[in-house]
């Protein structure tokens, strides 16, 4: 061989193959190699045995090679073999090598004639070989025999294609000379994946078995079916020679004698035979490796870069080092606290663009869900007037009152304020539910340590539950404070005089042209009336309009909000959308001939959000209670005009005062929950969580890695170091390589550009 740098190229690829095979991953790297393909009994195994000079491959009828065999030939003074799956064991007896190949094949494929793509790695050291790496693949077959699966032909074909389709793979196409070259299975599959013949080396076997008067001269001179790398003829031992244990060295001498004495081949005898084939393959593989080195190096570097970030946290991590465990525990608890705070307060990094999460969901509870729940508690008009009427009559007793009684106002207000407890407690429950989900998501980063994750989630969730009860107590206290004193001197309270004047006067809405919300909604209409359609809706303080699209140029309809209310609609059996309806309280058509229009959103959250927007526009939900006028006693409403005026006055006063209370509660609830629960939880995580973790379990059990994590870390580190080592080796070789042009071996066609770089042959 030429210089030492080039001699090391093939062992380098062997090292890479071993490194990636031992960690059970290919690293998505296409290493340069030679795949041996051919039909059954084409002589593939005999060619490989002639290279080694030993009988070591399984033989027999039918399909013998049932798993790919990666054969690494290494020039060495001593002669022995090693299997990657039998590390440290040297096989000196090559009959044992054959038995081991058979046993290892059966271990994966079973004793039937099935096949498997999992390779067997065999390394042969010998003074009689040149550095070479070949992959012996199962022979192509047409018909399933015995208990082989009926699709065995396609299974073998798929396996071959896994190897030969890669641009980095040279194809050694073995074809017997006593069959028509046009029917060669090997050349057919090579032509499919390498149509220009750039990667294919032809090998013609069984030249001594051709019919008398025929020869393969045109094929070997590369004239019949030309290949860029040409053809080389070999003569293997016959089955009789193999059965008689004919020595391979004697067979090689007989092969040389055949070529020198045959009239059709003697002029090219120096370019024929197994020794020349081995030398040629060594040269071609070495050149092929050198040609692919730049691409291989860049691929290794990109793989290394992609692993760098993931490996960073593992590189110096020693699982049993207490110092590392302490540091990791502190870092993880700190990271958990930072993640929790970021999800609550919001941050610019790692923003979820698919759905609301964390603080955004809590904000929606505060400013959409909670106000909506408060409005749902709005008094039923008839029922409220009935209660006010009873209160006035009961306070006056046997007397007929001349003035509107204060006590009736206070009694009704307190009854309405007490009703606020339920939505307030529901608001706390919703926030607790969101916090529990948030804690679970934040602990996902602790998944490497299952016990730590479990304890962290348990401790923080328990603390939130404790704060929940305190928060609910405080919320109840807020309601009790409102009940303790009815402040009729409040600046926003209308007072008796204004209440009497504003009787029968409806409240004015917000500024007429103020846009409250825009967005897409689906109008559900039966197919008979045109079917469901998506429109762009614009809700203002006075109307609901919908347009063809968001450009708002083509208006489809404008619906005034007067006398409109919202009601829930059950989701259809086949529908994936969530629906609510708008209807007119005076039984008028809302749109065309429809008494109500159904509007659909993609999620329940969108429905709740639209409902909250309608509330701001003064469109309230329908009451749940069904009015039953028949059950109302006849004396519920007095025809006394004076009593009616008193009822109306108190009704206006209650409306005004409850508005003040609602405004106060809507303002204080988020503040109370933030202070007592959310901010308190953040403080607890930062200052006390670590102490609770240490008291709940010892550090070793907390920082015990999951088996999956340990395996992943080991694989990642092995891969990382294999890539680093590979890059170092490639760097050394590429800087010491000197290439010398050499004419292409065994080929009468002119040298091609890719063949202009070969190692100088000293033989």
């Amino acid at each position: 061989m030429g210089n030492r740098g080039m001699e090391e190229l093939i062992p380098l690829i062997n090292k890479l193959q071993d490194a990636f095979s031992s960690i059970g991953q290919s690293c998505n790297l296409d290493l340069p190699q030679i795949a041996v393909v051919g039909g059954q009994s084409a002589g593939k195994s005999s060619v490989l045995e002639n290279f080694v000079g030993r009988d070591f491959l399984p033989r027999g009828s039918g399909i013998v090679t049932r798993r790919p065999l990666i054969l690494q030939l290494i020039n060495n003074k001593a002669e022995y073999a090693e299997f990657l799956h039998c590390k440290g064991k040297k096989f000196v007896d090559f009959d044992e090598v054959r038995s081991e190949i058979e046993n290892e094949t059966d271990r994966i494929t079973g004793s039937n004639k099935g096949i498997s793509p999992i390779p067997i790695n065999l390394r042969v050291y010998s003074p009689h070989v040149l550095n070479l790496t070949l992959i012996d693949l199962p022979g192509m077959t047409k018909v399933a025999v015995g208990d082989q699966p009926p699709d065995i032909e396609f299974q073998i074909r798929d396996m071959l294609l896994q190897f030969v389709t890669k641009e980095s793979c040279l194809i050694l196409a073995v074809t017997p000379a006593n069959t028509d070259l046009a029917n060669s299975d090997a050349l057919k599959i090579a032509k499919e994946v390498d149509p220009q013949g750039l990667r294919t080396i032809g090998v013609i076997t069984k030249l001594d078995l051709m019919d008398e008067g025929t020869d393969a001269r045109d094929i070997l001179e590369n004239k019949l079916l030309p290949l860029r790398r040409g053809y080389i003829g070999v003569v293997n031992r016959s089955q009789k020679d193999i059965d008689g244990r004919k020595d391979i060295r004697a067979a090689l001498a007989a092969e040389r004698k055949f070529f020198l004495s045959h009239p059709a081949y003697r002029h090219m005898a120096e370019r024929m035979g197994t020794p020349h084939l081995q030398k040629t393959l060594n040269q071609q593989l070495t050149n092929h490796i050198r040609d692919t080195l730049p691409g291989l190096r860049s691929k290794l570097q990109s793989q290394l870069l992609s692993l760098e970030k993931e490996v960073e946290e593992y590189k110096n991590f020693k699982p049993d080092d207490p110092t590392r465990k302490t540091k990791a525990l502190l870092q993880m608890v700190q990271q958990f606290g930072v993640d929790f705070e970021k999800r609550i307060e919001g941050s610019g990094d790692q923003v979820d663009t698919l759905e609301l999460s964390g603080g955004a969901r809590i904000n929606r509870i505060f400013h959409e869900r909670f106000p909506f729940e408060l409005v749902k508690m709005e008094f039923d008009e008839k029922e409220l007037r009935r209660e006010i009427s009873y209160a006035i009559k009961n306070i006056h007793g046997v007397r007929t009152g001349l003035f509107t009684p204060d006590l009736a106002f206070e009694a009704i207000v307190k009854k309405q304020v007490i009703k606020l407890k339920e939505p307030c407690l529901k608001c706390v429950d919703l926030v607790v539910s969101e916090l529990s989900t948030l804690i679970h998501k934040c602990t996902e980063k602790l998944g490497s340590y299952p016990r730590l994750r479990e304890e962290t989630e348990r401790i923080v969730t328990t603390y939130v539950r404790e704060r929940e009860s305190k928060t609910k107590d405080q919320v109840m206290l807020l309601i009790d404070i409102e009940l303790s004193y009815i402040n009729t001197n409040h600046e926003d309270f209308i007072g008796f005089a204004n209440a009497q004047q504003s009787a029968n006067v409806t409240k004015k809405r917000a500024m007429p042209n103020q846009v409250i919300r825009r967005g897409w909604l689906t109008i559900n209409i039966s197919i008979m009336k045109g079917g469901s359609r998506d429109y762009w809706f614009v809700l203002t303080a006075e109307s609901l309009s919908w347009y063809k699209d968001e450009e708002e140029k083509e208006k489809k309809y404008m619906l005034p909000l007067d006398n409109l209310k919202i009601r829930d609609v059950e989701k259809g059996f086949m529908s994936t959308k969530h629906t609510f309806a708008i209807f007119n309280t005076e039984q008028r058509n809302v749109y065309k001939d429809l008494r109500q229009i159904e509007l659909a959103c993609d999620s329940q959250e969108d429905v709740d959000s639209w409902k909250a927007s309608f509330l701001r526009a003064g469109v309230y939900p329908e009451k749940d209670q069904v009015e039953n006028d028949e059950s109302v006693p006849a004396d519920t409403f007095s025809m006394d005009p004076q009593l009616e005026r008193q009822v109306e006055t108190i009704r206006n006063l209650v409306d005004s005062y409850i508005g003040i209370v609602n405004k106060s509660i809507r303002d204080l609830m988020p503040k109370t929950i933030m202070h007592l629960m959310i901010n308190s939880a953040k403080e607890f995580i930062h200052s006390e969580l670590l102490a609770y973790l240490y008291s709940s379990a010892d550090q070793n059990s907390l920082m015990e890695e999951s088996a999956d994590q340990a395996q992943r870390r080991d694989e990642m580190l092995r891969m990382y170091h294999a890539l680093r080592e590979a890059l170092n080796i490639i760097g050394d070789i590429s800087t010491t390589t000197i290439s010398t042009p050499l004419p292409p071996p065994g080929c009468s066609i002119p040298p091609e550009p890719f063949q202009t770089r070969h190692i100088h042959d000293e033989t």
Side-chain angles (χ1 to χ4, degrees), residues 485-496:
Y485 180 66
I486 307 300
N487 181 18
T488 54
N489 204 30
H490 193 285
E491 58 186 4
D492 293 336
F493 187 58
I494 59 172
F496 271 90

